[in-house]
Amino acid sequence: MQTAFIKTPLGIAKIIGDEKGISVISVSDEGAISTAIPAILQESVSQLNDYFEGKRKDFNFKLNPSGSEFQQKVWIGLLEIPFGKTMSYLELSKKLGDVKAIRAVASANGKNPLWIVVPCHRVIGTDGSLTGYAAGLWRKKWLLEHENPNTQGSLF
């Protein structure tokens, strides 16, 4: 496994992966930025930088997150939420075939190991409210505004 740390508008992103794909992308408020990016991580770093610069709406590098079968199913569902759109936990549960699984879906959403790339930030409360976000609600708000076509360009 290789690791890189890059500066983003939301903090220091940690990227972990190998030849099988990227397994973790997380963010924190502090950390040392990598002076050299391992070759295996360069494409993911480039695409993340493009996203933050407003030049990219989706990602096409190989992913390899670790999780249960149910978590993987939820994360695949998250990948289907288009850039600039949101979905409620209830809508996501229905889409995955079990409206009663809303708490399990929310839990799997919260365990998403691939910050931004698997867009768990696009899931909101049924009433439109910003609900729990492991990276902090202020980051969720920033990401949704960054992806909103009505506010794009106003953040930079």
Side-chain angles (χ1 to χ4, degrees):
M1 289 291 206
Q2 300 287 318
T3 303
F5 296 87
I6 63 168
K7 186 176 186 338
T8 77
L10 299 176
I12 306 299
K14 178 181 184 180
I15 304 151
I16 302 172
D18 59 21
E19 64 283 342
K20 293 178 186 173
I22 303 301
S23 55
V24 175
I25 301 174
S26 60
V27 66
S28 66
D29 292 327
E30 52 191 52
I33 297 167
S34 298
T35 54
I37 305 298
I40 201 85
L41 303 179
Q42 287 178 356
E43 184 60 30
S44 59
V45 167
S46 174
Q47 289 187 29
L48 282 165
N49 286 330
D50 286 350
Y51 169 86
F52 282 113
E53 292 170 11
K55 299 176 187 172
R56 175 174 289 279
K57 295 181 177 183
D58 55 14
F59 302 91
N60 59 17
F61 52 85
K62 195 172 176 183
L63 305 177
N64 187 28
S66 179
S68 71
E69 186 177 326
F70 180 78
Q71 288 170 332
Q72 299 275 350
K73 180 180 173 182
V74 172
W75 300 336
I76 289 167
L78 293 172
L79 287 169
E80 295 171 3
I81 303 173
F83 182 93
K85 303 291 183 193
T86 58
M87 179 179 284
S88 72
Y89 290 100
L90 180 61
E91 290 170 315
L92 183 56
S93 296
K94 286 179 183 175
K95 184 178 178 186
L96 295 172
D98 187 356
V99 69
K100 293 178 183 162
I102 189 167
R103 288 183 188 271
V105 166
S107 176
N109 192 55
K111 290 181 173 64
N112 168 24
L114 293 164
W115 181 59
I116 296 177
V117 176
V118 175
C120 58
H121 60 277
R122 295 180 189 154
V123 182
I124 59 174
T126 304
D127 63 0
S129 64
L130 298 186
T131 56
Y133 188 60
L137 286 180
W138 72 272
R139 285 186 176 106
K140 183 173 188 164
K141 182 178 187 292
W142 191 99
L143 291 167
L144 293 175
E145 288 175 355
H146 178 67
E147 294 183 0
N148 183 332
N150 298 323
T151 58
Q152 281 179 350
S154 66
L155 298 172
F156 302 107

